[in-house]
């Protein structure tokens, strides 16, 4: 059975030439049969990629040849199922979109807290614990006692922070704040924002939920539920083992067993979360897409992410030999 290695990484670093990095980086990934998404912006890099271990490590080594990325850290997980079907390198304004000008995590950021010290911090009753993720992510798991901002995108978080009663008590004294997210990148920006707004005691979980689940044994854990991930695993639990959730291909939200059993669930078309908000024409289009996918699967063909003209792979990973 083929085993896939998934590597997640990000770094805030000045990359003024980020647009010129796209083509050689994409070529390196394709030469090594690596798939996933890499985001590039002037503020840095953000990515999750997967493929054969040797290929993923070749791409990471290629990235680290750039002195600006020499200390790039990554997290690993393994699975029997391909986490991605395509390889995309995208140019963005921000590697995680918050939409607040002037926020630079390389200049000021919250205090990093290692997973083994996290329980003690959030056990402090004076700490305001904030889950910075989207509502559908929070819905399948979070830390006990965490505040859910009930947001649909990270760009909505700044407005919520500006109005949250827990952050602006009647006494006027700014509270101690702890924030967390999936891999750590959203907390880099959210804690930088609070620091810029005069919050002195701001902390965030180093490596995010994924590092916590990888590091902390279940019997010592304060995590409840599963952690949503943006790939075909859908969710993971302690030890980063794949969870029990599936994904609605229409709205891209995680589904549990009860939602999969709902009469409103139709594979590839709708689920209880989106059935009422999609039009019939959208459902019909999704049904045809699902039919084509099922035909391709029955014929043992790749449908999602297939290239019209298969590219000949080089005998060696030559596309990764040049310096980024």
């Amino acid at each position: 059975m083929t085993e896939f290695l998934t590597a997640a990484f990000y770094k805030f670093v000045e990359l003024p030439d980020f647009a010129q990095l796209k083509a050689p980086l994409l070529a390196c990934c394709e030469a090594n049969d690596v798939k996933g998404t890499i985001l590039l912006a002037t503020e840095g890099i953000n990515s999750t990629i997967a493929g054969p271990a040797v290929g993923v490590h070749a791409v990471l080594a290629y990235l680290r040849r750039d002195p600006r990325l020499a200390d790039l850290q990554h997290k690993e997980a393994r699975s029997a199922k391909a986490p991605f079907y395509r390889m995309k390198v995208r140019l963005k304004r921000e590697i995680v979109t918050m939409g607040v000008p002037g926020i630079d995590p390389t200049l000021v950021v919250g205090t990093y807290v290692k997973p083994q010290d996290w329980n003690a911090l959030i056990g402090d009753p004076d700490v305001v614990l904030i889950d910075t993720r989207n509502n559908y992510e929070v819905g399948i798991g979070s830390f006990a006692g965490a505040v859910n901002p009930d947001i649909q995108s990270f760009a909505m978080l700044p407005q919520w922070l500006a109005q949250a009663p827990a952050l602006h008590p009647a006494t006027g004294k700014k509270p101690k704040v702890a924030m967390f997210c999936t891999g750590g990148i959203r907390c880099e920006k959210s804690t930088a924002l609070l620091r810029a707004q005069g919050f002195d005691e701001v902390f965030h979980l180093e490596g995010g939920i994924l590092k916590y689940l990888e590091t902390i044994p279940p019997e010592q854990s304060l995590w409840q539920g599963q952690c949503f991930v943006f790939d075909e695993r859908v969710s993971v639990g302690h030890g980063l083992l794949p969870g029990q959730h599936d994904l609605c291909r229409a709205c891209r939200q995680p589904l549990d067993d009860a939602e999969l059993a709902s009469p409103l669930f139709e594979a590839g078309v709708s689920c209880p979360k989106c059935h009422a908000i999609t039009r019939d024409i959208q459902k019909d289009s999704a049904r045809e897409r699902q039919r084509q996918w099922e035909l391709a699967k029955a014929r043992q063909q790749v449908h999602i992410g297939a290239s019209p003209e298969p590219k000949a792979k080089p005998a060696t990973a030559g596309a990764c030999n040049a310096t980024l």
Side-chain angles (χ1 to χ4, degrees), residues 5-9 47-51 56-57 60 74-77 84:
L5 176 67
T6 298
F9 55 89
S47 173
T48 304
I49 55 174
V56 171
H57 287 145
L60 292 171
H74 75 279
K75 292 182 284 292
E76 293 188 358
F84 301 104

Side-chain angles (χ1 to χ4, degrees), residues 218-284:
E219 62 272 15
Q220 299 176 16
S221 176
L222 297 181
W223 178 261
Q224 298 178 342
Q226 299 283 309
C227 177
F228 180 83
V229 289
F230 295 88
D231 59 54
E232 290 298 313
R233 294 173 297 170
V234 185
S235 66
V236 297
H238 285 91
L240 301 184
L241 296 175
Q244 302 302 311
H245 291 81
D246 208 333
L247 194 70
C248 175
R249 301 295 168 177
C251 65
R252 311 297 297 177
Q253 294 202 40
L255 305 175
D256 59 23
D257 289 342
E259 290 165 327
L260 290 169
S262 168
L264 299 181
F265 172 74
E266 183 179 350
V269 178
S270 67
C271 74
K273 297 174 180 177
C274 68
H275 185 274
I277 60 175
T278 52
R279 295 175 296 168
D280 288 343
I281 191 172
Q282 293 173 301
K283 291 184 176 69
D284 289 341

Side-chain angles (χ1 to χ4, degrees), residues 22-213:
K22 177 180 178 177
L25 181 52
L26 179 60
C28 178
C29 292
E30 291 179 339
N32 285 281
D33 200 23
V34 169
K35 296 178 173 62
T37 301
I38 299 176
L39 305 181
L40 296 170
T42 55
E43 68 177 10
I45 185 170
N46 179 21
S47 173
T48 304
I49 55 174
V54 65
V56 171
H57 287 145
V59 173
L60 292 171
Y62 172 69
L63 287 168
R64 290 173 180 137
R65 288 183 196 142
D66 187 323
R68 299 169 297 185
L69 302 175
D71 60 348
L72 184 69
Q73 301 295 312
H74 75 279
K75 292 182 284 292
E76 293 188 358
R78 296 179 184 272
S79 63
K81 182 180 179 181
F84 301 104
Y85 298 114
R86 302 180 179 91
M87 184 63 228
K88 296 172 285 188
V89 180
R90 292 179 170 173
L91 305 180
K92 308 286 284 184
R93 291 184 180 180
E94 300 177 74
I95 57 174
V96 57
T97 302
M98 188 167 70
V100 179
I103 299 301
D104 187 351
T106 65
L107 298 178
V108 60
V109 73
T111 301
Y112 297 94
V113 179
K114 294 188 178 301
Q116 54 267 35
D117 300 321
W118 184 249
N119 288 357
L121 173 67
I122 66 176
D124 183 344
D126 294 328
V127 169
V128 178
L129 180 62
I130 299 175
D131 192 330
T132 66
R133 301 172 302 151
N134 299 331
N135 195 44
Y136 64 88
E137 298 173 78
V138 181
I140 67 170
S142 191
F143 283 107
V147 178
N148 176 12
D150 193 18
I151 56 176
Q152 305 308 310
S153 71
F154 185 62
M156 299 172 65
L157 185 65
Q159 181 178 358
W160 181 86
L161 293 173
Q163 301 172 351
L167 295 180
H168 307 280
T171 60
K173 181 181 178 181
K174 296 186 182 298
K176 185 186 297 185
V177 181
M179 310 180 100
F180 63 93
C181 58
T182 306
I185 187 170
R186 282 177 276 189
C187 291
E188 298 267 7
K189 277 201 166 179
S190 56
T191 60
L193 176 62
L194 286 187
R195 288 293 308 280
Q197 294 177 345
F199 287 78
D200 295 323
E201 295 184 286
V202 184
F203 306 86
H204 58 116
L205 178 57
E206 185 174 353
I209 301 162
L210 296 180
K211 193 64 179 178
Y212 183 92
L213 293 176

